[in-house]
Amino acid sequence: MESIKQLNIDNRSYNLIVDLGCGDGGITKHLFGKHLPHKRLVGIDVVDDMISYARNHNMDDTIEYVKQDMSIGWPEIASPRVRQLDGTVDLLISNFALQYMPDKCQVMNTCSRLLSSTTTTTTTNTGGIFHANIAILPDLNKKLVTTKGPPKQWYPTIDKQIADWKQSIIANQLDIKQLMTIDYDWTIDRQSMIDFMPVIQSNYRSFFKNQSDFEAELNDHLSDTLFDAFVNPTAPDPKPNAWQQFIADTTVTEVVVHFITIRVTAVKQKQIN
């Protein structure tokens, strides 16, 4: 709701809103659609089942859903509807989706391209607004335990990840108005944690030089390292068998996952003719 408060100053109304990475459309309809006055809202996601569910359960008169992978470059985007949005979006929202896209600069180039250079709302005349909550992945270097020599420095630090996002945003004609870091604690039940582990693993795939390195690290101890980093981030020493112990101890019914989020608001710079 904090994001909604920031975007709904003086009951601002938007002509066109895009929810990038809308998932099943629940937040799109019940949070963004309900609390952000608008004429049209487009939810975009890459997963067929998510878009299908959204169309069946979270439609509204002003909402539509489009399937498209937004992690690819603009020339490769095939959806005619997405291409129609070029330069027309007043507000682009992304809630915990951008961290799944490995090329930060490429996705920010697409976001910038979608945003209007000049947007007139009920209270202001400015460029289109970009607003996102982005999860920052824990720095695994401090947790990495290896039997194959010294730890490999494949994982960017938290500060490096934040700096990379800032640089990618600024490099794509977006003027950062606010960027804050937020500590999140997420209580998750046992089965959800088990189901979520492959998603966490996939986030780190891009940090490896090649697939064989990723598979070797995954088979060796990556799950233990990831679980330890998310659940015990401040522990002074790594716990080499953290994931294995969690799986073996069925009395543990839930865990608290810790991570950092950046909340950023930026405005498309006006083009000078």
Side-chain angles (χ1 to χ4, degrees):
M1 286 299 293
E2 288 301 318
S3 291
I4 299 300
K5 291 178 182 178
Q6 292 181 29
L7 297 170
N8 201 20
I9 300 173
D10 299 326
N11 200 35
R12 178 181 296 175
S13 180
Y14 301 93
N15 289 323
L16 176 59
I17 300 175
V18 164
D19 180 8
L20 195 158
C22 64
D24 65 8
I27 292 177
T28 310
K29 178 181 179 180
H30 299 290
L31 192 59
F32 301 150
K34 182 178 180 181
H35 296 284
L36 292 175
H38 63 278
K39 292 182 179 179
R40 200 73 189 157
L41 199 164
V42 180
I44 304 174
D45 204 276
V46 67
V47 182
D48 283 312
D49 289 345
M50 290 292 187
I51 290 296
S52 178
Y53 185 94
R55 288 171 176 166
N56 289 326
H57 296 88
N58 289 310
M59 288 294 289
D60 209 340
D61 291 342
T62 64
I63 298 176
E64 62 181 299
Y65 294 99
V66 179
K67 178 183 179 294
Q68 175 62 56
D69 179 3
M70 299 299 284
S71 69
I72 61 179
W74 183 262
E76 286 74 46
I77 290 178
S79 166
R81 181 63 179 118
V82 173
R83 299 192 73 85
Q84 287 175 359
L85 301 175
D86 188 2
T88 67
V89 178
D90 301 316
L91 171 63
L92 192 152
I93 304 171
S94 186
N95 195 46
F96 297 114
L98 296 185
Q99 65 269 11
Y100 299 121
M101 303 183 186
D103 192 330
K104 297 177 176 62
C105 198
Q106 180 171 267
V107 71
M108 289 313 308
N109 177 266
T110 297
C111 290
S112 179
R113 179 151 188 165
L114 289 172
L115 289 170
S116 172
S117 295
T118 303
T119 298
T120 302
T121 69
T122 56
T123 60
T124 187
N125 185 291
T126 184
I129 299 171
F130 169 79
H131 182 86
N133 292 304
I134 307 170
I136 299 299
L137 303 176
D139 176 8
L140 298 192
N141 293 309
K142 297 177 181 178
K143 290 288 186 179
L144 191 60
V145 177
T146 180
T147 58
K148 301 177 180 179
K152 303 177 180 65
Q153 300 294 311
W154 283 328
Y155 313 102
T157 65
I158 288 172
D159 288 344
K160 179 66 165 59
Q161 291 178 68
I162 294 173
D164 286 347
W165 275 115
K166 291 174 66 174
Q167 181 178 2
S168 298
I169 292 167
I170 294 170
N172 285 285
Q173 297 182 298
L174 295 171
D175 183 15
I176 295 176
K177 298 300 182 182
Q178 182 185 61
L179 191 149
M180 64 176 69
T181 59
I182 305 167
D183 292 323
Y184 269 101
D185 292 336
W186 177 28
T187 301
I188 183 170
D189 66 76
R190 179 180 183 83
Q191 187 57 51
S192 295
M193 183 69 241
I194 293 172
D195 294 341
F196 191 47
M197 180 55 76
V199 177
I200 297 175
Q201 291 169 343
S202 69
N203 288 344
Y204 284 89
R205 186 184 300 268
S206 63
F207 300 147
F208 291 83
K209 297 176 182 178
N210 54 59
Q211 182 65 25
S212 61
D213 282 341
F214 177 78
E215 294 297 337
E217 225 34 66
L218 180 64
N219 293 332
D220 188 17
H221 58 260
L222 185 58
S223 295
D224 291 309
T225 304
L226 287 169
F227 186 74
D228 192 24
F230 275 92
V231 177
N232 306 302
T234 61
D237 299 310
K239 193 174 183 179
N241 300 313
W243 178 249
Q244 297 175 49
Q245 292 176 8
F246 168 72
I247 293 298
D249 188 355
T250 57
T251 64
V252 180
T253 60
E254 63 181 26
V255 294
V256 179
V257 174
H258 309 274
F259 60 96
I260 291 174
T261 293
I262 59 170
R263 178 175 296 154
V264 58
T265 301
V267 176
K268 177 73 174 286
Q269 296 174 6
K270 293 183 180 181
Q271 295 181 353
I272 301 175
N273 296 325

